[in-house]
């Protein structure tokens, strides 16, 4: 069964350092997302990406964040200068092209746990 | 303002019990609704979509009331494997999902 894969599974970094989280979405999907979940809190939308550009982003996704799909398979989230409050599980997700029968189902990767010290 | 609100629980129920979760959403423009399941420290996975007419999938029944902006999930004959956090989700915008905080269920032997 196709799945979304994410690396690394866990990253520990110092405050102020740059972090890149990587994702390989399901190959025939066209919509890509990053969500985050701070420990004990809800899953929060960060950004959606379609047709090689950001289609929507949340208030959390400020100038410190960026996304890229550099080679047609990887989808990356970069945090330029990490803060303590960026510590969270970051989930990548992908979905099929919106169609009449689109269920809206998103397929999530297992997540990358980021710990900022 | 919270897009989606749920009772966080926890709900502790014996095996075989029926349990119901409720959820409200604030954005009347939300287009679709779902229940996702999240096991401890795992990714969310789709449990079922929620349709206005109500829909059933085995032991699970979901209901949507657009007028009240209210969604529910009923689980009958609870199994130990049903223990998880149940996430109420509303879709709006470019297929973006907005999650509630989740309701934690523990089914006790």
């Amino acid at each position: 069964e196709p799945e979304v894969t994410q690396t690394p599974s866990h990253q520990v970094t110092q405050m102020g350092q740059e972090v890149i989280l990587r994702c390989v979405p399901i190959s025939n999907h066209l919509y890509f997302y990053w969500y985050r979940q701070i420990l004990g809190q809800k899953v929060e939308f960060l950004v959606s990406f379609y047709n090689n550009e950001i289609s929507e982003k949340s208030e959390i996704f400020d100038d410190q964040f960026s996304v890229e799909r550099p080679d047609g398979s990887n989808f990356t989230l970069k945090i330029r200068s990490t803060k303590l409050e960026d510590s969270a599980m970051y989930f990548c997700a992908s979905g099929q092209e919106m169609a009449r029968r689109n269920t809206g189902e998103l397929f999530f990767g297992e997540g990358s746990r980021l710990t900022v010290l | 303002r919270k897009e989606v609100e749920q009772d966080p629980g926890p709900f502790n129920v014996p095996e075989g019990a029926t349990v119901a979760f409720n959820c409200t959403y604030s954005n009347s423009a939300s287009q679709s609704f779902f229940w996702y399941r999240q096991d401890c420290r795992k990714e969310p996975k789709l449990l079922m979509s929620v349709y206005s007419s109500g829909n059933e999938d085995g032991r699970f029944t979901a209901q949507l009331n657009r007028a009240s902006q209210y969604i529910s999930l009923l689980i009958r004959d609870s199994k130990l494997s049903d223990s998880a956090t149940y996430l109420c989700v509303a879709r709006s915008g470019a297929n973006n999902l907005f999650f509630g905080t989740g309701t934690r269920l523990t089914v006790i032997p």
Side-chain angles (χ1 to χ4, degrees):
Chain A
E1 184 178 320
E3 59 182 16
V4 176
T5 57
Q6 291 185 240
T7 54
S9 57
H10 189 192
Q11 182 157 354
V12 181
T13 190
Q14 295 289 328
M15 193 168 58
Q17 295 296 303
E18 177 182 282
V19 162
I20 296 177
L21 305 179
R22 292 183 167 82
C23 169
V24 179
I26 294 174
S27 61
N28 64 340
H29 286 183
L30 298 178
Y31 290 79
F32 313 113
Y33 306 81
W34 284 100
Y35 286 80
R36 80 170 186 191
Q37 187 174 31
I38 296 170
L39 188 63
Q41 298 187 25
K42 68 176 181 178
V43 177
E44 299 176 290
F45 168 71
L46 293 180
V47 64
S48 59
F49 192 87
Y50 170 71
N51 200 26
N52 286 319
E53 61 183 20
I54 291 174
S55 50
E56 195 168 337
K57 60 184 180 180
S58 72
E59 294 174 352
I60 303 168
F61 194 88
D62 61 22
D63 292 343
Q64 292 300 313
F65 291 86
S66 63
V67 289
E68 214 176 28
R69 188 160 160 79
D71 57 13
S73 62
N74 290 288
F75 179 51
T76 62
L77 174 70
K78 182 192 290 186
I79 309 174
R80 264 181 271 282
S81 177
T82 50
K83 304 188 276 287
L84 295 177
E85 55 264 37
D86 293 328
S87 294
M89 179 73 91
Y90 287 80
F91 290 109
C92 174
S94 69
Q96 291 179 312
E97 180 177 6
M98 290 183 73
R100 283 178 301 170
R101 296 186 62 192
N102 178 31
T103 65
E105 178 176 8
L106 294 189
F107 295 82
F108 287 79
E110 293 187 337
S112 293
R113 181 168 298 282
L114 176 64
T115 302
V116 182
L117 302 176
Chain B
R1 184 188 70 171
K2 293 182 181 178
E3 293 263 352
V4 177
E5 294 203 48
Q6 316 179 228
D7 178 351
F11 285 66
N12 300 315
V13 303
E15 264 187 295
T18 295
V19 62
F21 305 139
N22 303 317
C23 164
T24 57
Y25 61 96
S26 60
N27 185 355
S28 58
S30 296
Q31 299 145 330
S32 315
F33 307 91
F34 310 89
W35 284 99
Y36 273 69
R37 169 188 170 136
Q38 186 175 28
D39 293 294
C40 189
R41 296 182 178 271
K42 295 288 191 180
E43 74 275 21
K45 291 184 178 178
L46 179 67
L47 178 66
M48 61 193 301
S49 302
V50 186
Y51 303 120
S52 297
S53 54
N55 51 298
E56 191 173 303
D57 183 1
R59 297 181 293 109
F60 299 85
T61 301
Q63 296 275 356
L64 166 64
N65 184 323
R66 285 192 185 270
S68 303
Q69 296 184 196
Y70 172 93
I71 304 157
S72 66
L73 176 69
L74 183 78
I75 306 175
R76 290 181 299 278
D77 188 23
S78 301
K79 311 286 184 198
L80 296 177
S81 56
D82 294 334
S83 296
T85 297
Y86 290 83
L87 308 175
C88 179
V89 184
R91 178 171 76 88
S92 60
N95 205 31
N96 300 336
L97 302 184
F98 293 91
F99 289 78
T101 52
T103 300
R104 187 166 176 182
L105 171 68
T106 301
V107 181
I108 304 162

